[in-house]
Amino acid sequence: LETARRNSGPLPFLPQSERRPPIRRTGWASEPNGAESGLRGVLWRTMSYARTLSVDGAELYMEHHGSGEPLLCLHSFASNGRARFGPLLPWLAERHECVVLDLRGHGRSTNASGVWTHEQVARDIIAVLESIGPGPVPVLAASSGAMAMLRVARMRPDLVRSLVLDSGTYQIPEQSRDQYRHPDELSPKIKKMYTEANEVYGPEYGAVLAQTF
């Protein structure tokens, strides 16, 4: 990663005219008379377009917010890109084109296989980085997104310009796994997070995610 960073020089990125055209203008639905408020309004105002990318049987959903140097944003487990980064987007989108990805099986991304590993998510992220444009990209990642990103940095350091990681480790020791609670024993707040994690499959998919991690 350090070698790639030293040799990268100024970050190249595709002009807007050369990027993949938007699939559809999406995001939170407009309120009557176009009025927006709170987080929904923030997301609607900062988003340029959204698109999906097919990778290993999953349709990965991502939104592009703002303009400038690309910045890939990766959320934590049992969350999604809008929930995790929505409060930061007004500031980040002034300086970057924020690519806010929903990891497979989260948010608006599918996961038909039902398999979820950090190695697979790392392969997904590699495909996303390759689709953003030539040259390495800075990445902001939290928790499971950070864990997958550490694998990306090892597998494809040429794609990574810099990393800002929150609560990420390469692996979770078995001693720590022994402290995990059974999904039925999770607090109401955590259970709610799982049931709201995926907008495609609905609240029942939360039990699948809880068993996966």
Side-chain angles (χ1 to χ4, degrees):
L1 177 60
E2 288 298 327
T3 301
R5 188 182 302 162
R6 286 196 301 268
N7 295 338
S8 64
L11 179 69
F13 56 92
L14 290 175
Q16 190 74 34
S17 60
E18 297 179 25
R19 294 179 191 160
R20 178 184 296 204
I23 292 177
R24 55 195 169 101
R25 184 71 158 90
T26 183
W28 301 100
S30 292
E31 305 260 343
N33 302 319
E36 298 283 355
S37 61
L39 179 56
R40 295 188 177 194
V42 167
L43 293 168
W44 186 261
R45 288 192 297 272
T46 62
M47 188 170 68
S48 301
Y49 64 95
R51 63 186 175 102
T52 59
L53 183 68
S54 299
V55 183
D56 294 342
E59 291 295 320
L60 303 178
Y61 174 87
M62 67 198 82
E63 296 178 356
H64 291 245
H65 293 258
S67 61
E69 178 184 26
L71 173 67
L72 180 61
C73 300
L74 304 173
H75 62 81
S76 54
F77 198 79
S79 184
N80 63 63
R82 292 163 301 288
R84 182 74 188 197
F85 296 104
L88 297 176
L89 283 173
W91 179 72
L92 292 174
E94 290 182 356
R95 300 163 174 81
H96 298 277
E97 179 183 357
C98 300
V99 182
V100 182
L101 173 68
D102 284 350
L103 303 180
R104 68 167 50 219
H106 291 72
R108 298 172 185 173
S109 292
T110 65
N111 186 19
S113 69
V115 176
W116 202 100
T117 67
H118 288 107
E119 286 69 24
Q120 177 59 64
V121 174
R123 291 190 289 271
D124 295 344
I125 295 169
I126 287 172
V128 171
L129 286 169
E130 290 176 335
S131 78
I132 292 174
V137 173
V139 180
L140 173 61
S143 194
S144 280
M147 294 174 73
M149 201 57 223
L150 288 170
R151 289 160 170 78
V152 174
R154 177 177 59 83
M155 297 160 66
R156 290 292 305 275
D158 58 300
L159 295 175
V160 184
R161 180 173 183 179
S162 59
L163 295 173
V164 177
L165 306 179
D166 172 18
S167 305
T169 180
Y170 197 86
Q171 64 182 9
I172 300 174
E174 289 302 319
Q175 300 93 316
S176 298
R177 291 185 179 276
D178 291 341
Q179 305 301 314
Y180 279 14
R181 291 186 177 183
H182 187 275
D184 292 338
E185 300 175 351
L186 296 174
S187 69
K189 180 179 179 181
I190 299 300
K191 285 182 178 180
K192 185 174 185 290
M193 283 178 54
Y194 277 104
T195 59
E196 295 178 350
N198 189 279
E199 300 174 34
V200 178
Y201 301 124
E204 293 78 11
Y205 192 72
V208 177
L209 286 176
Q211 293 282 357
T212 297
F213 194 71

